[in-house]
Structure formats: structure tokens, C-alpha cells
Amino acid sequence: MNKRYSSLDGLRALAAIGILIMHVQACVEVRPEGNFIYDVFIPSLTNFVYLFLLISSFSVSCGYYEKMKNMEIAPNEFYMKRYKRILPFFAILVIIDTLIPHAPNKVELSRMTGEVATGIDAFINSLYDSFAELTLAFNLLPNPKPSIGVAWFLGVIFLFYMLFPYFVFLMDNKKRAWKSLIIGYIFSFAAISYFLTDKFINFELTRHNIVYDAPFLLWGGCIFLYKDRIEDFVKNYKTVSLLMAWGLVFVYWFVPLTHKGFLFVIVMSLVTVLWLCYAIGTSGKILNNRVVKYLSGISMEIYLCHMMCFRAVQFLHIENYINNIYVVYWTTCVLTIVIAVVFCHVVKYMVLPKISFVFNK
């Protein structure tokens, strides 16, 4: 029976809420700024997505590494479980985005790309987007830009699932796992510096690409192989482990790093590794309580729908009633969280169980 690391619930919950808070600040009409909290701390919360990648890799290894290695699970069972976990909720968001002409995610995509389609062209474009997104295989495209912007994470993680048997091969033993991790860093560096530059193809290699994210996914497997030793170390040296994790966070905050640079990949992967290791060996109340456990259960759903919920809050025009931009910002954050949680709860626990037969074929 697989051991449950309950503190991972806390990391998932904090990551989902942190990314939501960051996106609200990035998209509000008047952005609060002027001190460390608003200029450094909140923008840095975008990097919680790398923690999601690491946790996903570690969690799927806990659940399926031994079964895949010993051929105790059929490909049909493995991939059906992945589709059933991800597709139902995501499909509802995609349908909403396709049918509503001015859907929140279309507005956000237009803002990012500067391209605005209208009329029948907009609807046809939505059909193309929807088809690709509902396959969950859209990361096979050379430069995917899903209409639900945050769904790039699903594209990366589902491609990782598609490659999971090969991942198990790479993680077959500790020696090969370390070799694979080193090769993953070299491949990421080569892609950033050479293969995926304008010498060959006209787009930037970013976190939307699985080669860029490979070290985070490979670290998840390496941590899985050493999970017992890591747990013992953290339990015996909890304060040291926590200080190491926070120490690298401060390095990231105060040492300028560009997201396009290879040094960022190294630093951010080490930051997320230390926090995952700390969570494996700790059982403190901050990462283990009813609230974070509940939020963890809908963390993926919150991540996927929070921009739609934010756009709904924008229609309230809170700024017309409150003059202080900081109060406007935090009120918007709270309302977005509440709407996202309610929406996710209703859809996941009330709607989807009633239509589960659609996804069981």
C-alpha cells in the first residue's frame, strides 16, 4: 500500500491560492505596487507552478512507479485514470470558453497575443482550440497557446504521463536516475541556448515546453527513489531543512534571474526540491489541517478556473465603491477565491458525479 504524505496537501493548496493571488495582481486595472510584498513577493508566486510539476511527478511515481516497472498495470487502466481525473472538469471550462463569445479566457488570450478575432472566424478558432485542448495532447504542437491560458500546465503534465513508461525506465535505479537528471539539465540548457532559438524555430523556449520543465519532472522521480531517507533526514533535522528551503527562496528573491535563463531553471528546481523534501518529512499543522486538505482536493480545479472567476469579479466594478487600491486588490482576491472554491465544489462534487457515465466509456 502506498504511503500518503499528507503535507503535500498543504503545498498543493498554497500553490493554487498563491498562483491565483499573483494572477489577480497581474490583471487588475490598477496594480498595487511600491514595496517588497507587491513588487517581489506576489509576482514570485507564479513559480508555484514548478512546485505543481514536481509534486505531480513525485505523486504519480508513488502511485504507479512500482506497478509500471513490474508490469502490474495495463496502459488502458493507467491512461483511463489520467483522463478521468483531468478531463471532466477541464471539458466544462473548454465548452464554456467555446460557446461564450467574450469568454474570460478569450479576453486574456487576446490581451497576451494582441490578436483579436471576430465573428465566424472567432468561433472557428475556438473550435480548433477546443478540439486540441480536449485531447489533452496539445503540448505535441510546436508552440501551443491554449485558449484557457493556464492550461499550458496540463499540456506539459499530460505529455509527461504519455512518456511515463519511459520515465520509469529512466528511474529504474538510483544510478540511472542521477544520470538522467544530469542529462535532463544538459538537454534543457541545449534547447534554451541552441535548438529552440530563432536559428531553428521562431519561438522562445519557456515553461510551456516539456524539455524546459524536464529537470523538475526528473527531480520528482529522484526524490521518490530516496523518499524514505529524505523523510528520516527531515524528521531529525527539521529546522535545518526549513532554513535551507527558505534560504534558497531568499536567493531567488534578491538575486536577479530571468525566466528565460538556464540559471533560473537550476535555482527554481532546487527551491522546489527542498520544499518538497521538507513536506515529505514534516507533519506540522500549517501543511496539515482540514482547510488545506479540502483545498488540495480541488487545487487543480482552482488553478484551471481562477481566471474565469476573476473576470466574473471584474464585472462587479469594486473600484467604483472603494477608493483604496490595496483594499480593492485584496477584496478582489478574496471574492475570486470564494467564487472559484464554490464553482469547483459544485462542479466536482455535485455535477460531475451525476454525469460520470459520459467519461466511463
Side-chain angles (χ1 to χ4, degrees):
M1 183 175 180
N2 295 318
K3 182 175 181 178
R4 176 174 174 77
Y5 298 94
S6 56
S7 289
L8 295 186
D9 292 336
L11 290 185
R12 290 190 187 96
L14 291 174
I17 299 302
I19 292 171
L20 181 153
I21 290 172
M22 178 276 302
H23 274 143
V24 171
Q25 188 204 34
C27 298
V28 289
E29 293 296 331
V30 181
R31 182 179 303 175
E33 55 187 8
N35 56 46
F36 174 81
I37 296 295
Y38 297 102
D39 295 347
V40 178
F41 174 70
I42 292 178
S44 75
L45 298 180
T46 185
N47 297 313
F48 269 131
V49 74
Y50 297 110
L51 188 59
F52 266 140
L53 285 171
L54 205 63
I55 293 173
S56 296
S57 174
F58 176 76
S59 298
V60 77
S61 296
C62 287
Y64 297 103
Y65 173 86
E66 293 294 344
K67 291 180 180 178
M68 190 72 70
K69 186 175 180 178
N70 298 325
M71 294 183 288
E72 296 174 354
I73 186 170
N76 183 69
E77 181 182 356
F78 175 75
Y79 290 111
M80 282 299 293
K81 286 184 176 181
R82 299 300 92 203
Y83 270 108
K84 288 179 181 179
R85 171 67 183 91
I86 297 172
L87 187 57
F89 185 88
F90 185 52
I92 290 176
L93 296 182
V94 170
I95 291 170
I96 292 173
D97 186 76
T98 303
L99 297 180
I100 299 178
H102 300 289
N105 293 303
K106 285 193 181 75
V107 173
E108 182 64 14
L109 186 64
S110 298
R111 186 185 68 83
M112 290 189 299
T113 63
E115 300 175 1
V116 181
T118 59
I120 190 65
D121 289 338
F123 183 68
I124 292 174
N125 289 349
S126 291
L127 291 180
Y128 282 132
D129 292 336
S130 300
F131 173 79
E133 289 162 18
L134 290 176
T135 66
L136 296 183
F138 54 88
N139 204 253
L140 293 173
L141 297 170
N143 192 20
K145 284 188 173 65
S147 59
I148 299 176
V150 294
W152 70 263
F153 173 82
L154 285 188
V156 171
I157 206 65
F158 198 81
L159 184 54
F160 168 68
Y161 293 151
M162 293 169 69
L163 297 172
F164 187 67
Y166 179 65
F167 176 81
V168 172
F169 160 76
L170 295 178
M171 298 291 121
D172 183 74
N173 56 75
K174 294 175 180 177
K175 184 177 180 180
R176 186 186 294 171
W178 281 108
K179 287 182 178 178
S180 300
L181 178 61
I182 293 171
I183 291 172
Y185 273 116
I186 295 173
F187 198 8
S188 179
F189 172 76
I192 292 170
S193 305
Y194 181 72
F195 287 112
L196 295 180
T197 66
D198 55 8
K199 297 177 184 177
F200 296 97
I201 190 167
N202 189 25
F203 76 90
E204 296 173 342
L205 180 68
T206 66
R207 60 188 184 178
H208 296 200
N209 188 283
I210 196 168
V211 176
Y212 183 102
D213 296 325
F216 298 93
L217 298 169
L218 290 165
W219 263 119
C222 290
I223 292 172
F224 167 78
L225 294 178
Y226 287 89
K227 60 185 183 302
D228 294 332
R229 291 186 183 181
I230 291 171
E231 184 178 9
D232 290 340
F233 178 87
V234 173
K235 285 181 176 178
N236 293 326
Y237 303 98
K238 189 174 297 183
T239 302
V240 172
S241 302
L242 186 60
L243 289 175
M244 289 171 60
W246 274 115
L248 265 183
V249 170
F250 282 104
V251 168
Y252 167 73
W253 278 340
F254 297 108
V255 176
L257 295 171
T258 171
H259 285 242
K260 299 176 185 177
F262 182 61
L263 182 59
F264 173 84
V265 175
I266 295 176
V267 172
M268 190 49 56
S269 61
L270 294 178
V271 169
T272 53
V273 162
L274 288 177
W275 279 106
L276 178 57
C277 290
Y278 177 74
I280 288 174
T282 188
S283 57
K285 289 296 183 181
I286 294 178
L287 297 179
N288 287 276
N289 57 70
R290 290 184 179 181
V291 174
V292 298
K293 185 176 178 62
Y294 170 74
L295 292 176
S296 175
I298 54 174
S299 58
M300 184 193 76
E301 289 78 10
I302 291 174
Y303 172 81
L304 289 173
C305 78
H306 72 269
M307 284 306 299
M308 179 183 73
C309 299
F310 165 70
R311 296 300 177 189
V313 172
Q314 277 193 314
F315 284 118
L316 299 176
H317 294 290
I318 298 171
E319 66 277 4
N320 292 339
Y321 308 98
I322 303 174
N323 294 324
N324 188 300
I325 62 172
Y326 300 100
V327 177
V328 170
Y329 168 66
W330 287 109
T331 302
T332 302
C333 285
V334 171
L335 288 175
T336 302
I337 292 171
V338 170
I339 293 174
V341 169
V342 171
F343 178 80
C344 294
H345 183 94
V346 170
V347 172
K348 183 171 183 176
Y349 298 122
M350 299 172 68
V351 175
L352 291 180
K354 295 183 183 300
I355 60 172
S356 60
F357 64 91
V358 176
F359 302 96
N360 288 331
K361 296 181 180 181

